[in-house]
Amino acid sequence: MLEKRDKLLDKRIEQETDKARQLLREGKKPQAALCLKRKKTLDVQRKRIQASMVNNEEMIAKFEEAALNVEVFQAQKSGAKNLKKAYGGIKPEDIDEQIADIQETMADAEDISNALAQPLGMEDDDFEDDLLALEEEMATEDMKDLDNVKIGKSELPAGKEEVANEEEATAESDDELAALEKEMIAS
C-alpha cells in the first residue's frame, strides 16, 4: 500500500513540476509558484512514506534475524548436548597421555625406518665419481670417432661442414648417454 502511494505521489510531483514550467513559459509566475508549493508539500509526504517503508523493511529484517538467532541457539544447544554424550567419560588428561604415547611410538617407528634404510655396502657417492669419469672417457672417444668420419663437400652447402659435424657428434653422444643411463638404472 505504501509503495502505491509513493508512486502516486511521485507522479503528482512530476505533474506539478511540468505544470509550473508551462506556466512560467506563459508568463504566469504566481500560478507557477503555487504549483511549486504543492510540489513541495507532496515531496514532504513522499519522504515520510519512504521513511515508513524503510522502517517496515528494517522491522521485517529484525524479525527474520530474531527467528534465525533462535534457530541457531537451538541448534547450538542441541549440538552441545550431543557433543557431551559423544565424549562420555573422556578427560583432557587422558588425551594428553594418549598423544604422548602416540608421539613416542611414531618416533620409534621413524628410528626403525631410518635404521632399515641405511646402505649396507658402498655409498652411492663412490659410484658417482666412477660414472663421471666414464662419461668423460666416452665423450672423448666419440670426439675421436667423429674426426675419422668424413663428409664430402658436395653433400653439404659451403660453410656448413663444421656445424653438421658438431650436430652429429652431439646427437650420438646424447644417444649413448641415454643408453648408458638406462643400463645403470636397470642394474
Side-chain angles (χ1 to χ4, degrees), residues 43-97:
D43 194 37
V44 169
Q45 288 178 7
R46 185 181 67 163
K47 286 180 183 177
R48 286 183 186 151
I49 288 174
Q50 288 174 344
S52 295
M53 288 171 43
V54 168
N55 288 342
N56 286 347
E57 288 173 7
E58 286 178 3
M59 290 295 291
I60 290 170
K62 290 291 183 188
F63 176 75
E64 289 172 350
E65 183 180 352
L68 181 64
N69 287 342
V70 168
E71 192 175 323
V72 168
F73 174 76
Q74 293 299 331
Q76 288 177 344
K77 186 177 179 181
S78 174
K81 187 176 182 181
N82 290 332
L83 201 55
K84 283 182 183 179
K85 282 183 186 177
Y87 280 116
I90 298 175
K91 297 175 186 167
E93 298 83 31
D94 298 337
I95 300 296
D96 290 340
E97 187 177 314

Side-chain angles (χ1 to χ4, degrees), residues 72-152:
V72 168
F73 174 76
Q74 293 299 331
Q76 288 177 344
K77 186 177 179 181
S78 174
K81 187 176 182 181
N82 290 332
L83 201 55
K84 283 182 183 179
K85 282 183 186 177
Y87 280 116
I90 298 175
K91 297 175 186 167
E93 298 83 31
D94 298 337
I95 300 296
D96 290 340
E97 187 177 314
Q98 184 173 351
I99 287 174
D101 288 345
I102 290 171
Q103 288 174 338
E104 185 178 328
T105 303
M106 296 288 284
D108 290 345
E110 182 71 22
D111 290 343
I112 291 169
S113 294
N114 289 338
L116 291 175
Q118 291 183 10
L120 299 175
M122 300 168 109
E123 295 289 323
D124 287 341
D125 294 338
D126 296 338
F127 295 109
E128 287 182 26
D129 292 337
D130 293 341
L131 180 62
L132 269 173
L134 184 60
E135 286 177 341
E136 288 177 10
E137 182 181 317
M138 289 176 62
T140 304
E141 288 175 14
D142 288 343
M143 294 303 285
K144 286 179 183 176
D145 290 342
L146 287 177
D147 289 340
N148 295 332
V149 175
K150 293 184 179 178
I151 299 175

